[in-house]
Coordinates of all heavy atoms in Angstrom, one line a residue:
M21 N -120.6 81.9 91.0 CA -119.5 81.0 90.8 C -118.2 81.9 91.1 O -118.1 82.9 90.5 CB -119.5 80.4 89.4 CG -118.3 79.5 89.2 SD -118.5 78.4 87.8 CE -118.7 79.4 86.4
A22 N -117.4 81.4 91.9 CA -116.1 82.2 92.3 C -115.0 82.0 91.3 O -114.9 80.9 90.6 CB -115.7 81.7 93.6
L23 N -114.2 83.0 91.1 CA -113.1 83.0 90.3 C -112.0 82.0 90.8 O -111.7 82.1 92.0 CB -112.5 84.4 90.2 CG -111.2 84.6 89.3 CD1 -111.6 84.4 87.9 CD2 -110.7 86.0 89.5
E24 N -111.5 81.1 90.0 CA -110.5 80.2 90.5 C -109.1 81.0 90.5 O -108.7 81.5 89.6 CB -110.3 79.0 89.5 CG -109.3 78.0 89.9 CD -109.2 76.9 89.0 OE1 -110.1 76.6 88.2 OE2 -108.1 76.3 88.9
M25 N -108.5 81.0 91.7 CA -107.3 81.7 91.9 C -106.1 80.7 91.8 O -105.7 80.0 92.7 CB -107.3 82.4 93.3 CG -108.4 83.4 93.5 SD -108.3 84.8 92.4 CE -107.3 85.8 93.3
R26 N -105.6 80.6 90.6 CA -104.5 79.7 90.3 C -103.3 80.2 91.0 O -103.1 81.4 91.1 CB -104.3 79.5 88.8 CG -105.6 78.9 88.3 CD -105.4 78.3 86.9 NE -106.7 77.7 86.5 CZ -107.2 77.9 85.3 NH1 -106.7 78.7 84.5 NH2 -108.4 77.3 85.0
T27 N -102.4 79.3 91.4 CA -101.2 79.6 92.2 C -99.9 79.7 91.4 O -98.9 80.1 92.0 CB -101.0 78.6 93.3 OG1 -100.9 77.3 92.8 CG2 -102.2 78.6 94.3
C28 N -99.9 79.4 90.1 CA -98.7 79.5 89.4 C -99.0 79.9 87.9 O -100.1 79.6 87.4 CB -97.8 78.3 89.4 SG -98.4 76.8 88.6
C29 N -98.1 80.5 87.2 CA -98.3 80.9 85.8 C -98.4 79.7 84.9 O -97.6 78.7 85.0 CB -97.0 81.7 85.4 SG -97.1 82.2 83.7
E30 N -99.4 79.7 84.0 CA -99.6 78.6 83.1 C -98.5 78.5 82.0 O -98.4 77.5 81.3 CB -101.0 78.7 82.4 CG -102.1 78.5 83.4 CD -103.4 78.6 82.7 OE1 -103.6 78.1 81.6 OE2 -104.4 79.1 83.4
R31 N -97.8 79.6 81.8 CA -96.7 79.6 80.7 C -95.4 79.2 81.3 O -94.8 78.2 80.8 CB -96.6 81.0 80.1 CG -95.7 81.0 78.9 CD -95.7 82.4 78.2 NE -94.9 82.5 77.1 CZ -93.9 83.3 77.0 NH1 -93.7 84.3 77.9 NH2 -93.1 83.4 75.9
C32 N -94.9 79.9 82.2 CA -93.5 79.6 82.7 C -93.6 78.5 83.9 O -92.6 77.9 84.2 CB -92.8 80.8 83.2 SG -93.5 81.6 84.7
E33 N -94.7 78.3 84.5 CA -95.0 77.4 85.5 C -94.1 77.5 86.7 O -94.0 76.6 87.6 CB -94.9 75.9 85.0 CG -95.9 75.6 83.9 CD -95.8 74.2 83.4 OE1 -94.9 73.5 83.7 OE2 -96.7 73.9 82.6
S34 N -93.4 78.6 86.9 CA -92.5 78.8 88.0 C -92.8 80.1 88.8 O -92.4 80.2 90.0 CB -91.0 78.9 87.5 OG -90.8 80.0 86.7
A35 N -93.5 81.0 88.2 CA -93.8 82.3 88.9 C -95.0 82.0 89.9 O -96.0 81.6 89.5 CB -94.2 83.4 87.9
P36 N -94.7 82.2 91.2 CA -95.8 82.1 92.1 C -96.8 83.2 92.0 O -96.5 84.4 91.7 CB -95.1 82.1 93.5 CG -93.9 82.9 93.3 CD -93.5 82.6 91.8
L37 N -98.1 82.9 92.1 CA -99.2 83.9 92.0 C -100.1 83.9 93.2 O -101.1 83.2 93.2 CB -100.0 83.6 90.7 CG -99.3 83.5 89.4 CD1 -100.2 83.1 88.3 CD2 -98.7 84.9 89.1
P38 N -99.6 84.5 94.3 CA -100.5 84.6 95.5 C -101.8 85.3 95.2 O -101.9 86.2 94.3 CB -99.6 85.3 96.5 CG -98.6 86.1 95.7 CD -98.4 85.3 94.4
P39 N -102.9 84.9 95.9 CA -104.2 85.6 95.7 C -104.2 87.1 95.8 O -105.0 87.7 95.2 CB -105.1 85.0 96.8 CG -104.4 83.7 97.2 CD -102.9 83.9 97.0
D40 N -103.3 87.7 96.6 CA -103.3 89.1 96.7 C -102.2 89.8 95.8 O -101.9 90.9 95.9 CB -103.1 89.5 98.2 CG -101.7 89.0 98.7 OD1 -101.1 88.1 98.1 OD2 -101.3 89.5 99.8
G41 N -101.6 89.0 95.0 CA -100.5 89.5 94.1 C -101.0 89.7 92.7 O -102.1 89.3 92.3
P42 N -100.2 90.4 91.9 CA -100.5 90.7 90.5 C -100.5 89.5 89.6 O -99.7 88.6 89.8 CB -99.5 91.7 90.1 CG -98.3 91.4 90.9 CD -98.8 90.9 92.2
A43 N -101.4 89.4 88.6 CA -101.4 88.4 87.6 C -102.3 88.9 86.5 O -103.0 89.9 86.6 CB -102.0 87.1 88.2
R44 N -102.2 88.2 85.3 CA -103.0 88.5 84.1 C -103.9 87.3 83.9 O -103.6 86.2 84.1 CB -102.1 88.7 82.9 CG -101.0 89.7 83.1 CD -101.5 91.1 83.5 NE -102.2 91.8 82.4 CZ -102.7 92.9 82.5 NH1 -102.8 93.6 83.6 NH2 -103.3 93.5 81.4
I45 N -105.2 87.6 83.5 CA -106.2 86.5 83.3 C -107.1 86.8 82.1 O -107.3 88.0 81.8 CB -107.0 86.4 84.6 CG1 -107.9 85.2 84.6 CG2 -107.8 87.7 84.9 CD1 -108.5 84.9 86.0
C46 N -107.5 85.8 81.4 CA -108.5 85.9 80.3 C -109.9 85.6 80.8 O -110.1 85.2 82.0 CB -108.1 85.1 79.1 SG -108.5 83.3 79.3
S47 N -110.9 85.7 80.0 CA -112.3 85.4 80.4 C -112.5 83.9 80.7 O -113.5 83.6 81.3 CB -113.2 85.9 79.3 OG -113.0 85.2 78.1
Y48 N -111.6 83.0 80.3 CA -111.7 81.6 80.6 C -110.9 81.2 81.8 O -110.7 80.1 82.1 CB -111.3 80.8 79.4 CG -112.3 80.8 78.3 CD1 -112.1 81.6 77.2 CD2 -113.4 80.1 78.3 CE1 -113.0 81.7 76.1 CE2 -114.3 80.1 77.3 CZ -114.1 80.9 76.2 OH -115.0 81.0 75.1
E49 N -110.3 82.2 82.5 CA -109.5 82.1 83.7 C -108.1 81.5 83.5 O -107.5 80.9 84.4 CB -110.3 81.3 84.8 CG -111.5 82.0 85.3 CD -112.2 81.3 86.4 OE1 -111.6 80.4 87.1 OE2 -113.4 81.5 86.6
C50 N -107.6 81.5 82.2 CA -106.2 81.2 82.0 C -105.4 82.3 82.7 O -105.7 83.4 82.6 CB -105.9 81.2 80.5 SG -106.9 80.0 79.6
T51 N -104.4 81.9 83.5 CA -103.8 82.8 84.4 C -102.2 82.8 84.1 O -101.6 81.7 84.0 CB -104.1 82.4 85.8 OG1 -105.5 82.3 86.0 CG2 -103.5 83.5 86.8
F52 N -101.7 84.0 84.1 CA -100.3 84.1 83.8 C -99.6 85.2 84.7 O -100.3 86.1 85.1 CB -100.1 84.6 82.3 CG -100.7 83.6 81.3 CD1 -102.0 83.8 80.9 CD2 -100.1 82.5 80.9 CE1 -102.6 83.0 80.0 CE2 -100.7 81.6 80.1 CZ -102.0 81.8 79.6
C53 N -98.3 85.1 84.9 CA -97.6 86.1 85.6 C -97.5 87.4 84.8 O -97.8 87.4 83.5 CB -96.2 85.7 86.0 SG -95.1 85.4 84.7
E54 N -97.2 88.5 85.4 CA -97.1 89.8 84.7 C -96.0 89.7 83.5 O -96.3 90.2 82.4 CB -96.7 90.9 85.6 CG -97.7 91.3 86.6 CD -98.8 92.1 86.1 OE1 -98.5 92.9 85.2 OE2 -100.0 92.0 86.5
A55 N -94.9 89.1 83.8 CA -93.8 89.0 82.8 C -94.3 88.2 81.5 O -94.1 88.6 80.4 CB -92.6 88.4 83.4
C56 N -95.0 87.1 81.8 CA -95.4 86.3 80.6 C -96.6 87.0 79.9 O -96.6 87.0 78.7 CB -95.9 84.9 81.1 SG -94.5 83.8 81.5
G57 N -97.4 87.7 80.6 CA -98.5 88.5 80.0 C -97.9 89.5 79.1 O -98.4 89.7 77.9
T58 N -96.9 90.2 79.5 CA -96.3 91.2 78.7 C -95.6 90.6 77.5 O -95.7 91.1 76.4 CB -95.2 92.0 79.5 OG1 -95.9 92.6 80.6 CG2 -94.5 93.0 78.7
A59 N -94.9 89.5 77.7 CA -94.2 88.8 76.6 C -95.1 88.3 75.5 O -94.8 88.2 74.3 CB -93.4 87.6 77.1
M60 N -96.4 88.0 75.9 CA -97.4 87.5 75.0 C -98.3 88.6 74.4 O -99.2 88.3 73.7 CB -98.3 86.4 75.6 CG -97.5 85.2 76.1 SD -98.6 83.9 76.8 CE -99.2 84.7 78.2
G61 N -97.9 89.8 74.7 CA -98.7 91.0 74.2 C -100.1 91.1 74.8 O -100.9 91.6 74.1
Q62 N -100.3 90.6 76.0 CA -101.5 90.6 76.7 C -102.6 89.9 75.9 O -103.8 90.2 76.0 CB -102.0 92.0 77.0 CG -101.0 92.9 77.7 CD -100.5 92.2 79.1 OE1 -101.2 91.4 79.7 NE2 -99.3 92.7 79.5
V63 N -102.2 88.8 75.2 CA -103.2 88.0 74.4 C -103.0 86.5 74.9 O -101.9 86.0 75.0 CB -102.9 88.0 72.9 CG1 -103.8 87.1 72.2 CG2 -103.1 89.4 72.4
C64 N -104.1 85.9 75.3 CA -104.1 84.5 75.8 C -103.7 83.6 74.7 O -104.4 83.6 73.6 CB -105.4 84.1 76.4 SG -105.5 82.4 77.0
P65 N -102.7 82.7 74.9 CA -102.3 81.8 73.8 C -103.3 80.6 73.7 O -103.3 79.9 72.7 CB -100.9 81.2 74.3 CG -101.0 81.4 75.8 CD -101.8 82.6 76.0
N66 N -104.2 80.4 74.6 CA -105.1 79.3 74.6 C -106.4 79.7 73.8 O -106.9 78.8 73.1 CB -105.5 78.9 76.0 CG -104.3 78.4 76.8 OD1 -103.4 77.8 76.3 ND2 -104.3 78.8 78.1
C67 N -106.9 80.9 74.1 CA -108.2 81.2 73.5 C -108.1 82.5 72.6 O -109.1 82.8 71.9 CB -109.3 81.4 74.5 SG -109.0 82.9 75.6
G68 N -107.0 83.2 72.6 CA -106.8 84.4 71.8 C -107.5 85.6 72.4 O -107.5 86.7 71.9
G69 N -108.0 85.4 73.6 CA -108.7 86.5 74.3 C -107.7 87.5 75.0 O -106.5 87.2 75.1
E70 N -108.2 88.6 75.4 CA -107.4 89.7 76.0 C -107.0 89.3 77.5 O -107.9 88.7 78.2 CB -108.2 91.0 76.1 CG -107.6 92.1 76.8 CD -108.5 93.3 76.9 OE1 -109.7 93.2 76.8 OE2 -107.9 94.4 77.1
L71 N -105.8 89.5 77.8 CA -105.4 89.3 79.2 C -105.5 90.6 80.0 O -105.0 91.7 79.5 CB -103.9 88.8 79.3 CG -103.7 87.4 78.7 CD1 -102.2 87.1 78.7 CD2 -104.4 86.4 79.5
V72 N -106.1 90.6 81.1 CA -106.4 91.8 81.9 C -105.9 91.5 83.3 O -105.6 90.3 83.7 CB -107.8 92.2 81.9 CG1 -108.3 92.6 80.5 CG2 -108.7 91.1 82.5
A73 N -105.8 92.5 84.1 CA -105.3 92.4 85.5 C -106.3 91.5 86.3 O -107.5 91.7 86.2 CB -105.2 93.7 86.2
R74 N -105.8 90.5 87.0 CA -106.7 89.6 87.8 C -107.1 90.4 89.0 O -106.2 91.0 89.7 CB -105.9 88.3 88.1 CG -106.7 87.4 89.0 CD -106.0 86.1 89.4 NE -104.9 86.5 90.3 CZ -104.1 85.5 90.9 NH1 -104.2 84.3 90.5 NH2 -103.2 85.9 91.7
P75 N -108.4 90.3 89.4 CA -108.8 91.0 90.7 C -108.0 90.4 91.8 O -107.8 89.2 91.8 CB -110.3 90.7 90.8 CG -110.7 90.2 89.4 CD -109.5 89.7 88.8
R76 N -107.7 91.2 92.8 CA -107.1 90.7 94.0 C -108.1 90.3 95.0 O -109.1 90.9 95.2 CB -106.1 91.7 94.6 CG -105.0 91.9 93.6 CD -103.9 92.9 94.2 NE -103.0 93.2 93.1 CZ -101.9 93.9 93.3 NH1 -101.6 94.3 94.5 NH2 -101.0 94.1 92.4
R77 N -107.8 89.2 95.7 CA -108.8 88.7 96.8 C -108.2 89.2 98.1 O -107.0 89.0 98.4 CB -108.9 87.2 96.7 CG -110.0 86.7 97.5 CD -110.2 85.2 97.2 NE -111.0 85.1 95.9 CZ -111.1 83.9 95.3 NH1 -110.6 82.8 95.7 NH2 -111.8 83.9 94.1
A78 N -109.1 89.7 99.0 CA -108.6 90.1 100.3 C -108.2 88.9 101.1 O -108.7 87.8 101.0 CB -109.8 90.8 101.0
R79 N -107.2 89.1 102.0 CA -106.7 88.0 102.8 C -107.7 87.6 103.8 O -108.5 88.2 104.4 CB -105.4 88.5 103.5 CG -104.3 88.6 102.5 CD -103.0 88.9 103.2 NE -102.0 89.0 102.2 CZ -100.7 88.6 102.4 NH1 -100.3 88.1 103.5 NH2 -99.8 88.8 101.5

C-alpha cells in the first residue's frame, strides 16, 4: 500500500506540500507543513503520535 501524498497542510490548510518537498507526517498519514509541525512540538494533534519527516517521492 502506497503512502498517500497529501498536497496541503492539515492544520493551516494553506501551505502547499509538493511530493518532493518537506513535510511532517505521523503513522496514520496525518500531514503537516514544517512550520506547523514545529509549532505543535512534532506531536500529531489527531492521534498524539510523533511527527517525522515525510519521505520524498522521486519526480
Side-chain angles (χ1 to χ4, degrees):
M21 182 162 58
L23 179 67
E24 182 181 334
M25 300 297 274
R26 298 195 177 130
T27 58
C28 68
C29 175
E30 292 183 37
R31 182 173 183 240
C32 68
E33 298 179 351
S34 62
L37 301 173
D40 62 341
R44 306 302 288 176
I45 190 168
C46 75
S47 63
Y48 289 100
E49 297 185 19
C50 301
T51 309
F52 305 95
C53 66
E54 292 281 329
C56 285
T58 299
M60 296 183 297
Q62 306 304 336
V63 175
C64 178
N66 302 323
C67 68
E70 177 184 19
L71 293 176
V72 297
R74 179 180 72 178
R76 294 183 187 189
R77 194 169 281 170
R79 286 185 183 215

